[in-house]
Amino acid sequence: MNQHVSICEVGPRDGLQIVHQRMATDVKLRWIAQLAASGLREIEVGSFVSPRLVPQMADTGEVVKGALEIAGLTVCALAGNLRGAISAYEAGAHVVAIPISVSDSHSRANVNKSTDEQVEAVRQIVDWVRAQSRPMRIDAAAATAFGCSMEGDVPQARVAKVARALADTGVDCIALADTVGYAHPAQIRSVVRATQDAIGARLVKLHLHDTMGLGLANALAGLEEGIRSFDSCLAGLGGCPFAPGASGNIVTEDLVFMLESMGFGTGIDLQQLIGARTLLAQALPDEPLRSGVAAAGIPKTFHPQAVQA
Amino acid sequence: MNQHVSICEVGPRDGLQIVHQRMATDVKLRWIAQLAASGLREIEVGSFVSPRLVPQMADTGEVVKGALEIAGLTVCALAGNLRGAISAYEAGAHVVAIPISVSDSHSRANVNKSTDEQVEAVRQIVDWVRAQSRPMRIDAAAATAFGCSMEGDVPQARVAKVARALADTGVDCIALADTVGYAHPAQIRSVVRATQDAIGARLVKLHLHDTMGLGLANALAGLEEGIRSFDSCLAGLGGCPFAPGASGNIVTEDLVFMLESMGFGTGIDLQQLIGARTLLAQALPDEPLRSGVAAAGIPKTFHPQAVQA
């Protein structure tokens, strides 16, 4: 069994995009540097989307360039279309992440395209990227894979079908995203298995939200189905645009605590990771910062895995 | 596989005992009635301990008597010694729950007795109760079974040994309690298995705290090891006396959401259960009320199990 788990910190993107306060570019870069120093090896630092729609992300080009200075860090940026992917490439991102809603209604509401049209857009991105001189990893995230705030239930067969179509475009990795946080552990197991049946090891990652308080239970279910890569967010920053007061992404600190306690190595120093909350508290004083282990303190029963040099 | 899960609501005891504000007896009883009306069939309504030490519990005799008026409700009260158990019996409680710390240091700090001495006290309680005319169920909770804020790690072999000793006293049911909330899912699996090896089906319940944010992940691990009974607390009331800002018991609303989503019947109407928070918010305006599903609202993908008449 693979005892290493990769965590991609998405706070600078999924967290900050929902926060009303703006974080200055230099503060973002200091925060990203602290996250990387704690041992995070992959960070989604921003998104190349319309600055009119998401003004918090307007400086993503600069943030990518700054983050590339951090040795050993894989710099990831989100893009919704070819134009965004080209911007990511030009900025020098190592990875471009592209969301594709499995739910047609959600897809149309988000990017004004059906799911099939968005899969086609991914194919164009892949073709463009593969024609460039520098390699860039392409991750596709099947959004609303566990339910949709508009359509409700999302059939598992449809998730597997969309994952298959995404795999056929030639992307490197596919993630399943519980975009609205409706998933439960039995569903995670079942949808992960169906997707593994469809695309095998191309299914790499889960992107989970803690909306209903089930985030880490869902991560556990995924872990036990063989998933070894998760998105998460320091302090669970960001909340949920659909539900004021609700939680955001699963909390990186608590995820690291769970994984390391269970014998999985993450390469992350938990105390140092918790230290990166201080900057967040100063920069975003109005945001609630979540995390059990940060509030309670690391217990004396915590025996982390040795960090590989 | 048994598809029913029993939830014992411990808010009126484990929740209120930590809260600084006092809740009046009639308010407690209205709250308990609302909890019962939502489908909860077992409620720990208070504890027979020194009112000097825990003034919030001084009215437990009255609360037990009032709760006995609620048809179909199993009324449980906590007691730390024979005197408390006699009070529970005299008040008419259906169940007396007795905590026994597996950690010697925690036991001495809490009840001024070693673990062995407290097991002996349980034996005296069993002998006394069995000699009375009315039956009263006796539940023993092996506290600090997954770690201790004083001793740190608690050896699994010691948990199994204490569970065996408790089973030998003749108690009806044994619970494992993660009193300080240090447990992780792999440990839950391992300690539950070791305890099942020692005492079989006498291990009935898990009592979990959400201190590190792992509460529902731990519940999932227990569920998958065959546990079909959990303590939990509406709104995760109470927090942790050792860590200001930390969470209390696992949240009943979110536990019900998880279980019912996964196909386990709890007999509880989730919307009605969430409704019982209103009284709590009015009675304890300074207390944070937790719960993902209460904050976000029940999603349209939620398909609860049919409630058995």
Side-chain angles (χ1 to χ4, degrees):
Chain A
M1 186 166 68
N2 183 351
Q3 290 294 109
H4 180 82
V5 173
S6 302
I7 296 179
C8 176
E9 169 66 41
V10 296
R13 200 276 303 170
D14 208 355
L16 291 184
Q17 78 178 10
I18 296 173
V19 166
H20 290 297
Q21 293 160 286
R22 291 278 285 277
M23 193 186 270
T25 308
D26 66 310
V27 180
K28 284 188 186 179
L29 283 170
R30 268 193 289 137
W31 183 35
I32 290 165
Q34 288 184 7
L35 292 167
S38 79
L40 280 157
R41 281 292 157 266
E42 186 164 326
I43 303 180
E44 197 166 288
V45 301
S47 63
F48 290 100
V49 289
S50 160
R52 225 169 10 87
L53 294 177
V54 194
Q56 297 91 330
M57 296 292 115
D59 60 354
T60 295
E62 275 178 274
V63 176
V64 167
K65 280 172 193 147
L68 289 170
E69 303 290 316
I70 301 168
L73 181 66
T74 298
V75 178
C76 179
L78 186 136
N81 53 30
L82 179 58
R83 192 166 139 188
I86 292 173
S87 300
Y89 180 84
E90 288 174 347
H94 299 119
V95 182
V96 63
I98 312 161
I100 303 92
S101 287
V102 178
S103 149
D104 245 332
S105 317
H106 189 266
S107 186
R108 288 181 201 278
N110 248 20
V111 292
N112 203 24
K113 283 180 187 159
S114 71
T115 303
D116 286 351
E117 287 164 352
Q118 183 68 351
V119 170
E120 195 44 46
V122 171
R123 189 185 312 275
Q124 289 168 16
I125 291 171
V126 172
D127 290 346
W128 185 88
V129 170
R130 300 307 186 216
Q132 307 311 306
S133 56
R134 180 176 70 79
M136 179 166 71
R137 200 180 90 202
I138 306 170
D139 289 3
T144 65
F146 301 93
C148 171
S149 52
M150 306 168 82
E151 290 190 6
D153 294 311
V154 171
Q156 172 174 309
R158 182 166 166 83
V159 179
K161 194 175 151 232
V162 170
R164 178 72 259 167
L166 287 171
D168 287 343
T169 66
V171 297
D172 296 292
C173 303
I174 292 172
L176 296 178
D178 183 20
T179 311
V180 289
Y182 291 179
H184 62 80
Q187 183 187 16
I188 294 278
R189 287 190 192 282
S190 169
V191 176
V192 164
R193 282 181 199 176
T195 309
Q196 285 167 338
D197 286 349
I199 62 167
R202 201 78 70 91
L203 171 61
V204 170
K205 190 162 72 168
L206 289 179
H207 173 98
L208 302 170
H209 281 243
D210 197 30
T211 316
M212 304 298 164
L214 271 56
L216 287 189
N218 288 337
L220 176 65
L223 190 71
E224 292 180 345
E225 295 302 325
I227 298 294
R228 291 292 178 271
S229 183
F230 296 92
D231 284 345
S232 65
C233 183
L234 193 79
L237 195 70
C240 173
F242 311 104
S247 304
N249 291 277
I250 54 172
V251 175
T252 307
E253 303 90 302
D254 297 351
L255 178 64
V256 169
F257 177 79
M258 182 173 87
L259 292 170
E260 294 275 342
S261 296
M262 293 178 70
F264 292 93
T266 63
I268 296 165
D269 181 309
L270 183 54
Q271 193 62 64
Q272 215 176 330
L273 180 72
I274 290 172
R277 294 163 61 96
T278 306
L279 181 146
L280 211 51
Q282 289 162 351
L284 305 170
D286 300 341
E287 284 300 308
L289 302 188
R290 304 173 199 273
S291 165
V293 70
I298 300 174
K300 58 176 85 172
T301 53
F302 181 63
H303 310 293
Q305 306 308 303
V307 174
Q308 303 300 316
Chain B
M1 187 166 68
N2 183 353
Q3 290 294 108
H4 180 81
V5 173
S6 302
I7 296 178
C8 176
E9 169 66 39
V10 296
R13 200 276 302 169
D14 207 354
L16 291 184
Q17 78 178 8
I18 296 173
V19 167
H20 291 296
Q21 293 161 285
R22 290 279 284 278
M23 193 186 270
T25 309
D26 65 311
V27 180
K28 284 188 186 180
L29 284 169
R30 268 192 289 136
W31 183 36
I32 290 165
Q34 289 184 6
L35 292 167
S38 78
L40 280 158
R41 281 291 156 267
E42 186 163 326
I43 302 180
E44 198 166 287
V45 301
S47 64
F48 290 101
V49 289
S50 160
R52 224 169 9 89
L53 293 178
V54 194
Q56 297 92 327
M57 296 291 116
D59 60 354
T60 296
E62 276 177 273
V63 177
V64 167
K65 280 172 192 145
L68 289 169
E69 303 290 317
I70 301 168
L73 181 67
T74 298
V75 178
C76 180
L78 187 137
N81 54 28
L82 179 58
R83 192 166 140 189
I86 292 173
S87 299
Y89 181 84
E90 288 174 347
H94 300 119
V95 182
V96 63
I98 312 161
I100 302 92
S101 287
V102 177
S103 148
D104 245 332
S105 316
H106 189 266
S107 186
R108 288 181 201 278
N110 247 19
V111 293
N112 203 24
K113 281 178 187 159
S114 71
T115 303
D116 287 350
E117 287 164 351
Q118 183 67 352
V119 170
E120 195 43 46
V122 171
R123 190 186 310 277
Q124 289 168 16
I125 291 171
V126 172
D127 290 346
W128 185 88
V129 170
R130 300 306 187 216
Q132 308 311 306
S133 56
R134 180 176 72 79
M136 178 166 71
R137 200 180 90 201
I138 305 170
D139 290 3
T144 64
F146 302 92
C148 170
S149 52
M150 306 168 81
E151 290 190 5
D153 293 311
V154 171
Q156 172 173 310
R158 181 164 166 85
V159 179
K161 193 174 152 231
V162 171
R164 179 73 260 166
L166 287 171
D168 288 342
T169 66
V171 297
D172 297 291
C173 302
I174 292 171
L176 295 178
D178 183 20
T179 311
V180 289
Y182 290 180
H184 61 79
Q187 184 187 17
I188 294 276
R189 287 190 192 282
S190 169
V191 176
V192 164
R193 283 181 198 175
T195 308
Q196 284 167 337
D197 286 347
I199 63 168
R202 201 77 71 91
L203 171 61
V204 170
K205 189 162 73 170
L206 289 179
H207 174 98
L208 301 170
H209 282 241
D210 196 29
T211 315
M212 305 296 163
L214 271 57
L216 287 189
N218 288 336
L220 176 65
L223 191 70
E224 291 180 345
E225 294 302 324
I227 298 295
R228 291 292 178 271
S229 184
F230 296 91
D231 285 345
S232 65
C233 184
L234 193 78
L237 196 70
C240 174
F242 311 106
S247 305
N249 292 277
I250 53 172
V251 175
T252 308
E253 302 91 304
D254 296 351
L255 178 64
V256 169
F257 176 79
M258 181 172 87
L259 292 169
E260 295 275 342
S261 296
M262 294 178 70
F264 292 94
T266 63
I268 296 165
D269 181 309
L270 183 54
Q271 193 63 64
Q272 214 176 332
L273 180 72
I274 289 172
R277 294 164 60 96
T278 306
L279 180 147
L280 211 51
Q282 289 161 352
L284 305 170
D286 299 341
E287 283 301 309
L289 302 188
R290 303 173 200 273
S291 164
V293 70
I298 301 174
K300 57 178 83 172
T301 53
F302 182 63
H303 310 293
Q305 307 307 303
V307 173
Q308 304 300 316

